[in-house]
Amino acid sequence: MSKTRVVVTGLGATTPLGGDVPSTWDALLAGKSGVRTLTEEWAIDASVQFAARVAVEPSEVMERVEMRRLDRSEQFALIASREAWKDAGSPEVDKTRLGVVIASGIGGVITLLDQYDILRTKGARSVSPHTVPMLMPNGPSANVGLELQAKAGVHTPVSACASGAEAIGYAMEMIRSGRADIVVTGGVEAAIHALPMAGFASMKALSTRNDAPSKASRPYDRDRDGFVLGEGGGVIVIESLEHAQKRGAKIYAELAGQGLTSDGYHIAAPDPEGSGVARAVQFALNDSGVDLSEIVHLNAHATSTPAGDVAEAHALGAALGEHISHVAVSATKSMTGHLLGGAGAIESIFCILALHHRMAPPTINIENLDESVTIDVVRDQPRPLPAGPIAALNDSFGFGGHNVVLIFKSYE
Amino acid sequence: MSVTQAEVLAGVKDIVVEVAGIDPTTIEMEKRFNEDLEVDSLSMVEVIVAAEEKFGVKIPDEEVTKMTTVADAVNFIVAAAK
């Protein structure tokens, strides 16, 4: 049985590079860094004093009263979803055929910690009645579902830094299985706070380049020393090709397939053999029906950690074989930082736009390419992609050994 | 400490504006929190906790469930603050 074709018809984002998709994409192509020194008091003496905050604060685009009932991650989800839904033409749809799948890696951790501070200082009666709906990890998805009155199903897959990609794959399956015609899907994260930062720093996962924050996220560079925490999110609207055509929707690209595996190796470290990643790539190729020769671009997970970047590059080489030399690889976390549960979503948007505009975004901050990295990394300047039918691959990995690969295809 | 009904109403108005973000001129004694002022059951908890702090009174949960209108809340607080 042939699979229902699924296409992308709307994009929305709020990222360290811009408050929406066009401004983010422009900054991305220009090779700008969204990483800054933090000004909060808690960051002054912290071991890591920088992060990639969103370029546009939610308060600039959202009513104060709405904001106070929403965790920051939920604010990001609503901001990105509103842009994506509008971009899709704000269609009138059968609500029982409309789904929402938006993930976060950690959930409302800032609300949890702030309310715990209130509990300790002012007592239980002062804890906000909105605490639980704000801290629950399904909160971003639920709030978007509520706003759009989605009734086909509202879901939240959680797999740490693979969450955003897993959400999009889950959304695709909702359409393929016939549960929904159209799904609003993506991932968000809002975890720039003393505790999560301290936790990641304690794992030695974060860069400590406090003297040069904009140079800290440097995937594939010889002197990379960890990832840079980012915040924000991305949301896309996907629908069956038939549904999109019937309403005359603008189509950015096709979401062609996904591959999912797990490492069974370590709770946080990547499997140096990378076989889980390689299998996920193979599954995604099989699922998508895309021919290997069509893959011309790859948005890598590449977080700028010493172990992860090389393990991933080797795994991709193993999975794609000789063809890897024909793939333009971009590591956009060099500019956005690592959005954890939002990463797979914004990077999917970057893949979609790369196909749509035929342009691969650059990777910045590579001063000395790690000599064990032999893949073709797009450095400093964007690179045009060929004409004709082309496809792009987005891989994401999460603590816990989760591997998610999505394949997008140009739509002719 | 004794407060007048007008003082309590003004205070409750401030709180409802903060919690629900609605136009203060629409907040009157006969208005119902849920139906007229968009103060749902969760937001009502916020209003009550803020009112307790502002007027130095205790508002038991069983009283809260009986407070349908702004007048219900204002009258209770005026009586409790005497």
Side-chain angles (χ1 to χ4, degrees):
Chain A
M1 195 186 82
S2 73
K3 288 169 180 149
T4 303
R5 289 176 70 185
V6 176
V7 293
V8 181
T9 56
L11 306 175
T14 181
T15 76
L17 297 177
D20 58 14
V21 169
S23 59
T24 296
W25 181 247
D26 287 348
L28 197 74
L29 291 188
K32 292 191 177 148
S33 169
V35 183
R36 307 268 183 281
T37 298
L38 291 167
T39 52
E40 289 83 350
E41 205 177 324
W42 57 260
I44 292 170
D45 295 320
S47 61
V48 177
Q49 299 158 6
F50 57 94
R53 281 216 177 274
V54 286
V56 176
E57 273 298 312
S59 57
E60 293 179 42
V61 292
M62 198 171 244
E63 292 294 325
R64 184 188 56 81
V65 171
E66 184 176 30
M67 283 183 66
R68 57 178 283 143
R69 296 172 191 178
L70 298 168
D71 180 75
R72 193 168 169 85
S73 62
E74 297 169 340
Q75 294 166 10
F76 294 156
L78 280 168
I79 291 166
S81 296
R82 285 169 186 168
E83 183 190 359
W85 192 249
K86 194 173 164 209
D87 188 41
S90 306
E92 289 295 324
V93 298
D94 175 356
K95 305 291 188 191
T96 65
R97 303 287 299 161
L98 168 64
V100 175
V101 189
I102 295 176
S104 109
I106 308 189
V109 65
I110 294 176
T111 293
L112 176 66
L113 294 166
D114 286 351
Q115 291 299 320
Y116 186 60
D117 286 344
I118 287 172
L119 174 70
R120 288 190 306 176
T121 56
K122 296 177 78 180
R125 199 160 166 80
S126 294
V127 169
S128 168
H130 302 291
T131 300
V132 172
M134 285 169 72
L135 69 80
M136 60 193 196
N138 55 311
S141 209
N143 276 289
V144 172
L146 203 59
E147 178 158 294
L148 294 173
Q149 298 170 288
K151 290 173 183 171
V154 173
H155 307 282
T156 306
V158 176
S159 51
C161 306
S163 302
E166 189 164 341
I168 292 172
Y170 189 103
M172 177 181 69
E173 292 302 339
M174 282 181 80
I175 295 171
R176 282 178 169 181
S177 67
R179 283 177 60 203
D181 293 326
I182 179 166
V183 185
V184 176
T185 179
V188 293
E189 202 73 75
I192 299 177
H193 181 289
L195 185 91
M197 292 274 292
F200 283 122
S202 174
M203 297 174 87
K204 309 293 176 205
L206 293 179
S207 167
T208 57
R209 203 176 288 266
N210 289 319
D211 57 341
S214 65
K215 303 278 183 201
S217 188
R218 46 201 305 138
Y220 306 128
D221 182 79
R222 192 185 60 196
D223 300 317
R224 66 192 183 278
D225 70 330
F227 78 82
V228 175
L229 186 59
E231 65 170 5
V235 169
I236 65 176
V237 176
I238 63 172
E239 52 193 300
S240 69
L241 177 60
E242 188 189 352
H243 190 268
Q245 283 174 332
K246 202 177 280 175
R247 69 180 191 87
K250 154 192 77 186
I251 295 174
Y252 283 99
E254 184 166 349
L255 171 53
Q258 67 167 336
L260 302 164
T261 61
S262 48
D263 283 345
Y265 173 77
H266 188 273
I267 195 65
D271 179 353
E273 303 269 321
S275 65
V277 176
R279 282 186 298 120
V281 170
Q282 195 53 57
F283 287 146
L285 284 168
N286 295 347
D287 185 49
S288 67
V290 165
D291 190 78
L292 188 56
S293 64
E294 291 175 272
I295 308 271
V296 296
H297 173 55
L298 189 156
N299 190 305
H301 190 62
T303 62
S304 182
T305 60
D309 292 10
V310 170
E312 178 192 10
H314 287 164
L316 292 170
L320 299 179
E322 266 184 16
H323 180 70
I324 190 76
S325 61
H326 301 289
V327 179
V329 178
S330 302
T332 47
K333 288 187 183 78
S334 58
M335 295 168 279
T336 62
H338 188 358
L339 269 64
L340 310 180
I346 63 165
E347 287 151 24
S348 286
I349 292 174
F350 299 158
C351 279
I352 293 159
L353 289 174
L355 293 171
H356 187 66
H357 296 301
R358 308 249 164 192
M359 188 65 76
T363 306
I364 64 167
N365 292 333
I366 303 176
E367 286 168 29
N368 300 287
L369 187 67
D370 186 319
E371 57 189 25
S372 61
V373 173
T374 54
I375 54 177
D376 180 12
V377 182
V378 180
R379 290 170 65 174
D380 302 324
Q381 298 294 326
R383 186 193 298 176
L385 295 173
I390 55 172
L393 199 149
N394 175 30
D395 62 349
S396 299
F397 319 123
F399 283 171
H402 314 276
N403 307 307
V404 181
V405 173
L406 299 174
I407 294 182
F408 296 90
K409 213 169 123 177
S410 59
Y411 180 78
E412 322 282 332
Chain B
M1 184 187 91
S2 170
V3 285
T4 67
Q5 195 187 62
E7 284 166 346
V8 174
L9 176 59
V12 169
K13 270 189 189 184
D14 288 345
I15 293 168
V16 172
V17 168
E18 171 71 16
V19 168
I22 53 174
D23 178 359
T25 62
T26 64
I27 304 169
E28 292 155 4
M29 288 291 268
E30 67 275 17
K31 289 285 166 69
R32 294 163 301 176
F33 285 108
N34 193 19
E35 294 84 347
D36 304 324
L37 301 176
E38 297 173 49
V39 177
D40 64 11
S41 60
L42 294 187
S43 298
M44 191 64 185
V45 177
E46 286 189 283
V47 170
I48 295 302
V49 170
E52 285 184 335
E53 208 165 286
K54 192 171 199 120
F55 300 109
V57 295
K58 277 275 158 231
I59 308 175
D61 290 345
E62 56 272 24
E63 292 298 328
V64 176
T65 56
K66 288 188 253 167
M67 289 176 182
T68 307
T69 64
V70 173
D72 295 338
V74 169
N75 292 336
F76 180 88
I77 294 165
V78 170
K82 270 181 185 152

